[in-house]
Amino acid sequence: DETLKKIAAGMSKGSTPTSSSTEPQPKFNDLPGDPNCPYCHGVGYLRRDLPLGHPDFGKLESCTCRMGEISQQVRQRLFSLSNLSELSHLSFENFNPRGRVGLWPKQADSLEQAYNHAQHFSHSLTGWLVLQGGYGCGKTHLAAAIANFAGGIGVPTLFLTVPDLLAQVRVTLHARAFSFLKLFGKISNASLVC
């Protein structure tokens, strides 16, 4: 606390319009937080008052005034990993729940049941949903529809096919262990993985 007080005192003695100091002064609008925030006053971070031996002693926490910005950054990072831009046109609205012409009644019933479960899952986002079936039956369309719906309501969503995920893991493993940990962190922090 004493060190911070000294630094603050030194900053308050900075240049004034009449002083001749050529040292650039920090601009208040360069700080990441909201200047009107009653907690951080624009700094964007808070430090909890904890005893010296506490594991979180000295750690900074993001202020609540930055939570919207942080959530948006998480969504953008996950979207950049996903292939959703190529699949953004896949939605529940343009999925045919009874399938294409020529399906057997049991196949159409099964597809409609999968469609209904996928829609229900996209609204609750609890538990797991496993889609299985042959090539061309609509698994990717339903998974992308779930991911697009969840992303549209602000849920951090990661959409990856298994080959794409394995390719990214292979690249990061060969690059550096840090890259793999960074990728694994992004995947494990996603609220929804499709």
Side-chain angles (χ1 to χ4, degrees), residues 8 14 27-28 31 49 69 83 88 114-115 150 173:
K27 294 180 182 175
F28 196 69
L31 298 173
D49 192 16
E69 172 193 345
N83 292 324
S88 62
Y115 170 80
L173 278 176

Side-chain angles (χ1 to χ4, degrees), residues 59-77:
K59 289 186 180 177
L60 294 177
E61 295 178 3
S62 296
C63 183
T64 56
C65 70
R66 297 190 56 226
M67 290 305 156
E69 172 193 345
I70 292 170
S71 296
Q72 180 63 25
Q73 288 173 352
V74 167
R75 283 194 297 275
Q76 287 174 345
R77 282 194 304 266

Side-chain angles (χ1 to χ4, degrees), residues 6-159:
K6 288 179 184 177
I7 291 171
M11 289 177 72
S12 66
K13 294 177 186 173
S15 65
T16 62
T18 57
S19 75
S20 61
S21 173
T22 58
E23 191 175 312
Q25 295 298 311
K27 294 180 182 175
F28 196 69
N29 60 358
D30 289 345
L31 298 173
D34 177 5
N36 299 319
C37 178
Y39 305 111
C40 72
H41 306 289
V43 174
Y45 297 94
L46 300 170
R47 182 185 56 88
R48 292 178 20 207
D49 192 16
L50 299 169
L52 184 60
H54 193 280
D56 291 336
F57 175 79
K59 289 186 180 177
L60 294 177
E61 295 178 3
S62 296
C63 183
T64 56
C65 70
R66 297 190 56 226
M67 290 305 156
E69 172 193 345
I70 292 170
S71 296
Q72 180 63 25
Q73 288 173 352
V74 167
R75 283 194 297 275
Q76 287 174 345
R77 282 194 304 266
L78 289 174
F79 189 80
S80 70
L81 278 177
S82 298
N83 292 324
L84 275 176
S85 58
E86 298 168 13
L87 305 174
S88 62
H89 66 285
L90 300 177
S91 67
F92 290 113
E93 289 77 27
N94 62 17
F95 185 83
N96 185 355
R98 295 297 293 171
R100 61 185 183 277
V101 175
L103 286 181
W104 295 95
K106 283 189 178 182
Q107 289 174 315
D109 291 344
S110 177
L111 184 59
E112 188 170 13
Q113 188 177 14
Y115 170 80
N116 292 333
H117 282 296
Q119 252 193 334
H120 175 71
F121 179 80
S122 70
H123 287 85
S124 67
L125 296 177
T126 56
W128 289 76
L129 179 66
V130 177
L131 301 171
Q132 68 179 32
Y135 177 79
C137 67
K139 299 179 303 291
T140 301
H141 189 138
L142 287 176
I146 292 169
N148 286 322
F149 178 83
I153 60 172
V155 175
T157 304
L158 178 62
F159 182 92

